[in-house]
Amino acid sequence: MDKKKLTFLGVIITIGIIFGDIGTSVLYVMKSFVKNSDGALNEMLILGFISLIFWVMTLQTTTKYVLIALRADNHGEGGVFSLFALIKNKTRKSVVFLAMLGGATLLADGIITPAITVTSAVEGLHDIFPKLETDDVIVMVLLIFIFIFSFQRFGTKKIGSLFGPIMSLWFLSLLFWGSRQILANPTILKALNPYYAYNLLVTQPGIFVLLGAVFLCVSGAEDLYVDLGHCGRKNVRMAWTLVKICLVANYFGQAAYLLSDKFDAGKNPFFAIVPDEFLVLQVLLATLAAIIASQSLITGSFTLISEAIKLNLFPKLIIKYPTELKGQVYVATVNIILFICSS
C-alpha cells in the first residue's frame, strides 16, 4: 500500500492502528465527570463540560496534531525521537531533555491506558450482572493483561488485519448509540457554542478537577503523529475526520442521557445509553477495542525504546523482530515493566 495515497483500505488500517486509545476514552470520561461533580449535576454544568470536550478535541487534536504537527516529519516518519534525530546536530544539547520528556509521557500513557481502558470495559458487566463482585472484575482484567502481554513476543502479523474492521465497528457503534440519545434530547447540541465552555471555566468552583476529566478525552492523541510513517498523512487526516464525528456523537449522546429523567448516577453513562438487549454485545466490543488500544500502545512503547536506544538516550536492551513486518519490534524488558506497572 502506498502510504502517500488516500485509500479506503488505508483509512481502515489507520483506524485500527492509531485510534484505539483516544477511541476508547468514551468508556471513562463521562463516568469520571459524574464522579467528580459530587452529585451537583445541572444543565449548565453538563453543557459546559461537553462543550469543553468538543473544543479541546478541536483545538488540541484537530488543530495541533492533524493540521499542524502532521506537516513536520523526518523523511515521512513522525514521533518525538524522529524529529530529535532530524535537529539534534543543529540545536543546543539541552533539546535532548525535551525529547526525553516527550518520550517519557508516551511511555506513561502506555502504562495508564491499558489499566483504565480494559477495566472500564469489563466493568460494563456490572450492568448485566448486578451481583458481580469487584474482585471478579479485577481477576478478569488481570487475565486479559496476562493474555495481552504474553502475546507480544509473537507480534501482530496474524491478528493485526482484524484491528481495522473491529475498531471501525466500534466507532460505528459509538455513532449509533450516541445519535439515538441526541435525537431524543437535541438540547445538548447547544454545547457546540463555545460560550458554555467559557462560562464553565469562569464560574465553576473546583474547575481544575473537572478539567482533568476533560483532557482524558484526548488521551492518545499523540498517536496520530507517532504513527505517521506507518499510515501516511492523508489517511490519518481522513480517518480522524470520521473518528471525531463518532466520538463527538457518543460524548454528546452520553451528555444527553445525563440531562434526561432516566439518568442513574450508579451506572456508567457509556453503557447506560445502550439498550439492555444489546448490552452484552457492546461490552464484548468494548473489551476488544480496549485490548486493541492496549496492544497499540504497548507496541508503540517498544518502537519508542528502540528509537531511544539508537539515539543513545536509553541503556542497551535486547531487541527482537517477531515478524517481517517493517518497524515491528519486541523488547522483553519493556514488556515486563509495562505489565507490572499496568497491573
Side-chain angles (χ1 to χ4, degrees):
M1 182 184 69
D2 186 348
K3 294 183 291 186
K4 294 183 179 180
K5 290 185 177 181
L6 174 63
T7 65
F8 175 76
L9 180 60
V11 171
I12 296 297
I13 292 174
T14 300
I15 289 175
I17 292 176
I18 293 179
F19 296 103
D21 190 1
I22 194 171
T24 50
S25 59
V26 291
L27 286 167
Y28 47 82
V29 170
M30 297 302 290
K31 176 184 175 182
S32 178
F33 166 61
V34 173
K35 181 179 179 180
N36 291 325
S37 64
D38 297 324
L41 290 177
N42 56 65
E43 182 173 322
M44 289 301 294
L45 181 62
I46 294 171
L47 288 174
F49 182 80
I50 203 66
S51 182
L52 278 173
I53 285 180
F54 175 77
W55 288 105
V56 165
M57 290 177 66
T58 299
L59 296 175
Q60 200 259 24
T61 308
T62 303
T63 304
K64 175 184 174 182
Y65 284 109
V66 176
L67 297 181
I68 298 177
L70 288 185
R71 295 183 179 183
D73 64 86
N74 183 4
H75 302 293
E77 296 293 332
V80 62
F81 287 140
S82 292
L83 284 188
F84 174 69
L86 188 65
I87 66 174
K88 67 176 182 177
N89 295 324
K90 303 178 182 178
T91 59
R92 297 179 180 179
K93 293 183 178 180
S94 58
V95 175
V96 68
F97 294 106
L98 295 177
M100 293 175 68
L101 179 62
T105 58
L106 289 175
L107 286 177
D109 201 19
I111 293 173
I112 296 172
T113 295
I116 296 178
T117 306
V118 175
T119 303
S120 297
V122 177
E123 281 181 339
L125 292 173
H126 279 303
D127 294 334
I128 304 173
F129 307 106
K131 295 184 179 181
L132 189 69
E133 298 291 337
T134 301
D135 290 343
D136 297 327
V137 172
I138 293 174
V139 171
M140 284 186 279
V141 171
L142 286 175
L143 290 175
I144 291 174
F145 279 173
I146 292 172
F147 166 75
I148 293 174
F149 287 97
S150 298
F151 192 81
Q152 298 307 313
R153 70 183 68 184
F154 304 109
T156 58
K157 180 180 179 182
K158 293 183 178 179
I159 65 171
S161 59
L162 298 176
F163 290 177
I166 291 174
M167 290 307 298
S168 297
L169 183 59
W170 165 253
F171 285 115
L172 287 175
S173 74
L174 301 186
L175 176 64
F176 182 74
W177 300 126
S179 298
R180 288 178 77 248
Q181 294 296 317
I182 294 173
L183 291 174
N185 192 355
T187 301
I188 196 62
L189 293 177
K190 293 194 295 184
L192 292 172
N193 186 339
Y195 162 77
Y196 292 97
Y198 170 78
N199 181 68
L200 184 66
L201 289 174
V202 299
T203 63
Q204 178 66 26
I207 184 61
F208 289 104
V209 176
L210 293 180
L211 284 179
V214 169
F215 281 99
L216 286 174
C217 77
V218 289
S219 172
E222 62 275 4
D223 291 346
L224 278 74
Y225 183 52
V226 172
D227 289 309
L228 173 62
H230 293 161
C231 303
R233 184 178 293 107
K234 293 181 180 179
N235 288 317
V236 171
R237 285 175 170 166
M238 176 55 71
W240 169 243
T241 301
L242 301 175
V243 165
K244 183 181 178 182
I245 292 172
C246 298
L247 289 175
V248 168
N250 197 265
Y251 278 123
F252 274 64
Q254 291 186 54
Y257 164 74
L258 298 184
L259 289 174
S260 70
D261 297 333
K262 298 179 180 179
F263 169 58
D264 182 351
K267 292 185 177 181
N268 184 336
F270 175 81
F271 291 109
I273 67 174
V274 179
D276 292 341
E277 56 268 29
F278 293 100
L279 198 52
V280 174
L281 291 176
Q282 193 63 36
V283 170
L284 176 60
L285 187 57
T287 303
L288 290 175
I291 291 173
I292 292 173
S294 301
Q295 170 67 42
S296 299
L297 283 168
I298 293 167
T299 54
S301 298
F302 296 157
T303 302
L304 187 73
I305 292 298
S306 175
E307 292 176 347
I309 291 173
K310 292 177 182 177
L311 293 169
N312 295 318
L313 298 178
F314 201 86
K316 302 295 182 182
L317 297 174
I318 297 175
I319 299 175
K320 296 182 179 180
Y321 301 87
T323 70
E324 65 271 20
L325 291 177
K326 181 181 178 181
Q328 188 164 105
V329 298
Y330 171 69
V331 187
T333 303
V334 175
N335 192 51
I336 294 172
I337 293 174
L338 289 177
F339 171 70
I340 294 173
C341 294
S342 296
S343 302

